[in-house]
Amino acid sequence: MPHPLQLAAPAALLAALCSFASLAGDHGRDDGHDNHHDGRGPRHSVQVGDRPFYLVDGLDDGRLKDKLQRCENGPFYKTDFSIAHRGAPLQFPEHTKEAYEAGARQGAGIVECDVTFTKDGELVCRHAECDLHTTTNIVDTELNGQCTKPWSGPGSNPKCCASDITLAQFKTLKGKMDASNPNATTAKGYLGGTASWRTDLYTGRGTLLTLRESIELNKKLGVKHTPELKSGDPQRLQTVFGGQENYAQKMIDEFKAAGVNPKDVWPQSFDIRDVLYWIKNEPRFGQQAVYLDDVDPSANLPRLSLDELKQLKKQGVKIIAPPMGVLLAVNDANEIVPSQYAVDIKSLGFDIITWSFERADLRNGGVGAGFYYSFDPTGRALKKDSDMYKALDVLARKVGVIGIFSDWPATVTYYANCMGLK
């Protein structure tokens, strides 16, 4: 039977929800700046859908399940703790208008645009400079011929970059789920390969956006911004922008031109040079600059040492964002606990943001779940998909993260709303 909130709401419930929403005041000003109240943002309609209820119902009986079940009637509101990672790419093509709208509708208070560039120097939302062959339909269009390495048949390993084409050409493409079938005998077949735990159900539309368009959409949706400056081919960056610093500056200039309050922007990069550039040259935006920590022991990318963390602190870095898997551990009692790395980062006074929830198939628990759940590879603590809420609870209450990127923001929104997190 559907959950009561999925049916036509009784008049009393509707009245209560409307009353709650009215406490937020206006839904946005027309002065070019985002308008926020008590940290939660404008009260646009938030719909968490079925998934959080499904996950909560599957938890083992105990304190966490009891607490989360008591929140099932909402009301649900936008929260900055819930960050839309590329929109809502668990089911929507990433970095598309439709994905961003879904992320905001699910209560994400902050929405991410990964920023890369076209041949004519326009900033666009894509996860990488050269991912168009798996995230758009480019190989099945005439633009395939302009790819760095066009698709030419089974096993051809195409490489198609935003910097291969102009903005006008980029805008003719359609976003798709990030996947491919390398052995396909046709270009259309190559566009398949979506993982079984995702879906192609919402690929009928996949509207690609520039950074500028994503900023305006975020303002319309009443959400804040976390642009990530992606790495690029050094020679192309030099040709198009005149160097890395100009590239980093252009991203900030887009927000300044749009009249966005720097307090509503968390610029981020895996390249510490970008973060330090913003801190020095754009201090109002640099205050919330996020250093994305790409630690991955399995790929020989070790954690930052205490001395390295202290150096970052001296350089003005305030927020560090490691992947969630390195912030957690499993103790001898098979309980999820903060890792030593998490303890070390917090001890030096950094704020922590982490990534990315709902980006792994947890139907079999930690076993085979990969990178994000590498702290529990044999499933000692994570037995099933519902147990992701156990990990989220530790990240929020014991690690003390200030925000979590998620491929399906509703999962995090439900938890944050229930726990009173802004």
Side-chain angles (χ1 to χ4, degrees):
M1 180 177 180
H3 187 275
L5 286 184
Q6 296 154 11
L7 301 174
L13 177 57
L14 282 175
L17 290 174
C18 291
S19 175
F20 179 84
S22 70
L23 296 177
D26 295 333
H27 279 231
R29 301 179 304 200
D30 293 325
D31 60 0
H33 290 79
D34 296 310
N35 188 26
H36 298 280
H37 307 270
D38 74 4
R40 295 178 181 178
R43 295 311 204 263
H44 292 269
S45 175
V46 170
Q47 303 168 24
V48 296
D50 292 313
R51 184 158 177 77
F53 299 101
Y54 168 82
L55 294 172
V56 171
D57 286 346
L59 281 167
D60 292 337
D61 291 340
R63 177 200 62 82
L64 181 59
K65 182 174 184 176
D66 289 345
K67 172 66 174 175
L68 293 176
Q69 283 185 326
R70 286 197 294 269
C71 301
E72 64 182 7
N73 291 323
F76 300 109
Y77 55 86
K78 280 188 173 66
T79 165
D80 291 352
F81 187 82
S82 179
I83 306 172
H85 181 237
R86 314 186 200 179
L90 181 66
Q91 296 192 26
F92 287 83
E94 65 183 46
H95 291 308
T96 61
K97 176 177 180 285
E98 293 76 17
Y100 292 157
E101 289 173 335
R105 191 176 298 114
Q106 292 175 29
I110 305 170
V111 174
E112 178 192 45
C113 165
D114 286 330
V115 178
T116 188
F117 60 98
T118 60
K119 186 176 183 178
D120 48 351
E122 295 298 327
L123 300 184
V124 296
C125 299
R126 288 288 92 199
H127 180 246
E129 179 190 359
C130 299
D131 72 359
L132 297 186
H133 50 285
T134 63
T135 66
T136 76
N137 64 333
I138 190 169
V139 302
D140 194 32
T141 75
E142 62 182 15
L143 293 176
N144 178 58
Q146 293 186 219
C147 290
T148 296
K149 185 179 182 183
W151 181 86
S152 59
S156 57
N157 298 317
K159 180 180 180 181
C160 301
C161 310
S163 57
D164 288 333
I165 57 179
T166 66
L167 176 62
Q169 292 170 326
F170 175 85
K171 293 290 285 182
T172 67
L173 299 175
K174 187 171 111 174
K176 59 177 284 293
M177 296 300 285
D178 185 8
S180 66
N181 178 4
N183 298 319
T185 58
T186 65
K188 191 174 295 295
Y190 176 85
L191 300 178
T194 300
S196 64
W197 52 283
R198 295 181 180 274
T199 182
D200 288 316
L201 189 61
Y202 301 110
T203 57
R205 297 190 305 277
T207 308
L208 304 192
L209 297 178
T210 64
L211 172 60
R212 189 173 307 138
E213 289 170 333
S214 78
I215 293 170
E216 292 306 316
L217 179 62
N218 285 350
K219 291 165 70 175
K220 177 182 176 182
L221 296 172
V223 299
K224 303 176 186 178
H225 323 262
T226 184
E228 179 189 336
L229 192 68
K230 305 303 293 189
S231 62
D233 177 84
Q235 184 56 56
R236 291 190 180 187
L237 283 173
Q238 186 64 39
T239 299
V240 174
F241 299 106
Q244 183 72 29
E245 289 188 352
N246 292 341
Y247 178 41
Q249 183 63 53
K250 183 172 176 63
M251 188 182 86
I252 298 300
D253 288 344
E254 293 281 10
F255 288 90
K256 294 167 73 173
V260 177
N261 188 332
K263 292 182 179 180
D264 291 340
V265 183
W266 284 262
Q268 45 175 341
S269 178
F270 282 102
D271 190 335
I272 190 59
R273 296 175 300 169
D274 298 331
V275 176
L276 297 180
Y277 175 84
W278 295 323
I279 290 171
K280 179 180 178 181
N281 296 284
E282 289 287 354
R284 295 180 69 212
F285 288 89
Q287 285 289 314
Q288 294 186 153
V290 180
Y291 175 51
L292 293 166
D293 182 2
D294 60 356
V295 55
D296 181 1
S298 68
N300 199 30
L301 295 170
R303 57 154 283 181
L304 297 170
S305 67
L306 277 173
D307 286 343
E308 288 170 326
L309 288 169
K310 290 175 182 177
Q311 180 63 25
L312 288 178
K313 193 73 175 175
K314 289 180 182 178
Q315 293 173 308
V317 177
K318 296 182 178 181
I319 308 173
I320 294 182
M324 55 182 283
V326 303
L327 296 176
L328 300 172
V330 178
N331 65 15
D332 291 341
N334 295 332
E335 299 167 330
I336 303 173
V337 295
S339 69
Q340 185 59 51
Y341 194 32
V343 172
D344 290 346
I345 294 171
K346 290 297 288 186
S347 72
L348 294 175
F350 290 101
D351 283 332
I352 302 175
I353 292 172
T354 194
W355 44 278
S356 290
F357 221 62
E358 293 278 37
R359 197 156 182 83
D361 182 1
L362 276 182
R363 288 175 294 179
N364 294 316
V367 178
F371 174 71
Y372 294 99
Y373 294 91
S374 57
F375 65 93
D376 188 23
T378 60
R380 292 166 52 204
L382 296 159
K383 307 290 185 183
K384 52 194 173 184
D385 51 8
S386 294
D387 289 341
M388 68 175 70
Y389 269 132
K390 292 164 59 175
L392 180 56
D393 191 49
V394 174
L395 288 167
R397 292 193 306 109
K398 297 184 178 180
V399 176
V401 302
I402 63 171
I404 298 180
F405 284 89
S406 178
D407 281 17
W408 200 245
T411 304
V412 174
T413 298
Y414 184 99
Y415 175 90
N417 288 182
C418 193
M419 301 300 177
L421 302 175
K422 294 184 179 182

